[in-house]
Amino acid sequence: MKKYLFNKFISCIVILTLIVSVGIKLYSVFTFPEIEDWNYKQIKKIDETHNSYSFAVFGDNRDSITTFNNLIHKLNKDSIIFAIDVGDLVEDGEKEKFRFFINQIKKVNKPFLTVIGNHELRENGRANYYQMFGRFYYSFTVGKSYFIILDDANEKRLDLWQLDWLKKELKKSQSYKYRFVFMHVPLYDPRKGGDKKGHSLKDVTFARYLNKLFDKYHVSMLFCSHIHGYYKGYWQNTPFIITGGAGAKLAGTDPSHYFYHYIKVNISEQGVQYEVVRLNTPDFELIDRLLHDTGMFIYAFIAIHFDIIIIIGCIYILILLYFKQDKIKIMYHA
């Protein structure tokens, strides 16, 4: 009797798994369409003739639904003309998780650009990112401002090709009034003081070199995230803002640094102003994040391994039917 009940239980689990798998696969196909060259297409939507305008910067939304959705809702009501997410878009770089993120940001009613972060590199993420978002580093202009997006997702340094490209871009940017640079991992960790190792570029010698390069070409502001909080200051002569408050778990409890937010950058003929826009932290944020992580793991696992799950399930059912048929034959002959 126990064996019979156990077999029934396993059969129900297998059938339920097959039904859920088919449902998730259909949901994935029809809800998350394939995309490519996302950033290039978003840049094309930006009106480059503006001289007075606002844009938003934020990062580290990777394991959030409620807070990140609140941020999106606020962006849609804000007077910005575009937004830049400075990396850690997803928990890891599985394609289905990128597609889930894209489904979130499709609700934004302004152009939305991305920077690659270290979490995007996991699970073959670099290839998936390139396929969906396009180039790892790129530049564009709006009015009298020059925007440079970098890839330091390896948390160490820029490769030689990118470094050569950056030098050329910085030279070109000199004819513009403002120069904004975006990269996920900061040069240094402001919590450590000076240029000591921290949650920042591991190659400190290269960080110093990059710092001098930014100083030389008078970068107006360097935007980073990676540290889940808010910091503002100067690295030598280069001003920086760390904005890692888009939804991932905050890195501390100091209310002056650790809160959910985005940065609104206001550009006019008079200059540039940086406004911190705070977001509410919901009481159920921890539960929300736990449910998100669990749900994303199950969803991504089934969506990615759908074929294997279906094959194993079908084999199990065929074996079950075979033995059941064999049992009927024995009973009939008896």
Side-chain angles (χ1 to χ4, degrees), residues 80 124 245:
I80 61 167
N124 194 38

Side-chain angles (χ1 to χ4, degrees), residues 47-83:
D47 185 351
E48 297 181 4
T49 62
H50 286 286
N51 283 320
S52 295
Y53 59 94
S54 301
F55 66 92
V57 191
F58 45 86
D60 291 280
N61 57 273
R62 62 181 165 82
D63 53 2
S64 172
I65 291 181
T66 301
T67 297
F68 190 48
N69 283 345
N70 287 342
L71 185 150
I72 289 171
H73 181 70
K74 208 151 190 173
L75 289 180
N76 286 340
K77 290 185 173 182
D78 212 327
S79 58
I80 61 167
I81 65 168
F82 66 92

Side-chain angles (χ1 to χ4, degrees), residues 242-284:
I242 292 175
T243 171
K249 184 181 178 182
L250 296 171
T253 56
D254 183 346
S256 61
H257 293 292
Y258 302 111
F259 52 89
Y260 293 116
H261 69 281
Y262 65 86
I263 306 298
K264 183 177 180 181
V265 184
N266 303 303
I267 298 175
S268 67
E269 293 294 335
Q270 286 71 45
V272 184
Q273 291 183 328
Y274 302 94
E275 177 186 346
V276 181
V277 181
R278 289 178 176 252
L279 303 169
N280 292 328
T281 302
D283 295 333
F284 55 91

Side-chain angles (χ1 to χ4, degrees), residues 22-270:
V22 171
I24 284 178
K25 190 64 178 179
L26 290 172
Y27 175 74
S28 173
V29 170
F30 292 107
T31 310
F32 302 160
E34 296 288 343
I35 66 144
E36 58 182 17
D37 268 339
W38 171 274
N39 286 323
Y40 175 78
K41 291 172 182 174
Q42 294 298 303
I43 289 171
K44 289 295 181 184
K45 295 179 182 179
I46 301 172
D47 185 351
E48 297 181 4
T49 62
H50 286 286
N51 283 320
S52 295
Y53 59 94
S54 301
F55 66 92
V57 191
F58 45 86
D60 291 280
N61 57 273
R62 62 181 165 82
D63 53 2
S64 172
I65 291 181
T66 301
T67 297
F68 190 48
N69 283 345
N70 287 342
L71 185 150
I72 289 171
H73 181 70
K74 208 151 190 173
L75 289 180
N76 286 340
K77 290 185 173 182
D78 212 327
S79 58
I80 61 167
I81 65 168
F82 66 92
I84 298 182
D85 192 327
V86 202
D88 277 3
L89 320 170
V90 289
E91 180 62 32
D92 62 60
E94 287 181 326
K95 192 173 183 180
E96 296 301 325
K97 290 176 183 174
F98 276 130
R99 294 173 76 191
F100 186 90
F101 165 73
I102 288 163
N103 221 41
Q104 283 183 293
I105 64 175
K106 277 187 173 179
K107 298 169 188 172
V108 182
N109 58 15
K110 285 106 176 169
F112 189 109
L113 306 174
T114 66
V115 178
I116 189 169
N118 58 297
H119 275 263
E120 279 78 87
L121 301 189
R122 301 176 182 180
E123 304 293 338
N124 194 38
R126 185 173 281 282
N128 290 331
Y129 181 95
Y130 184 80
Q131 182 185 359
M132 304 177 90
F133 296 93
R135 293 184 58 179
F136 303 121
Y137 49 93
Y138 56 95
S139 65
F140 63 98
T141 61
V142 180
K144 297 177 182 177
S145 300
Y146 206 94
F147 295 82
I148 300 173
I149 284 76
L150 299 176
D151 167 18
D152 68 344
N154 63 18
E155 302 179 75
K156 297 176 184 176
R157 64 187 71 83
L158 308 184
D159 60 62
L160 293 176
W161 294 274
Q162 184 180 182
L163 184 59
D164 183 57
W165 173 87
L166 172 61
K167 289 175 182 176
K168 292 173 183 175
E169 291 297 308
L170 286 170
K171 285 177 184 176
K172 285 194 286 184
S173 73
Q174 297 309 291
S175 59
Y176 287 77
K177 190 173 183 179
Y178 307 115
R179 286 157 295 284
F180 301 109
V181 177
F182 305 80
M183 60 189 208
H184 179 67
V185 182
L187 295 178
Y188 317 114
D189 189 331
R191 300 168 298 182
K192 294 285 182 180
D195 55 3
K196 296 176 184 177
K197 283 187 179 180
H199 203 54
S200 53
L201 288 179
K202 294 180 176 67
D203 188 336
V204 177
T205 302
F206 182 80
R208 290 175 188 146
Y209 174 81
L210 206 54
N211 199 161
K212 289 178 181 177
L213 198 63
F214 292 153
D215 287 351
K216 177 182 176 181
Y217 289 104
H218 310 291
V219 167
S220 304
M221 182 61 72
L222 171 62
F223 293 97
C224 308
S225 54
H226 198 50
I227 296 169
H228 301 173
Y230 168 75
Y231 284 88
K232 184 180 181 182
Y234 279 84
W235 288 321
Q236 303 305 323
N237 296 321
T238 299
F240 74 87
I241 289 177
I242 292 175
T243 171
K249 184 181 178 182
L250 296 171
T253 56
D254 183 346
S256 61
H257 293 292
Y258 302 111
F259 52 89
Y260 293 116
H261 69 281
Y262 65 86
I263 306 298
K264 183 177 180 181
V265 184
N266 303 303
I267 298 175
S268 67
E269 293 294 335
Q270 286 71 45

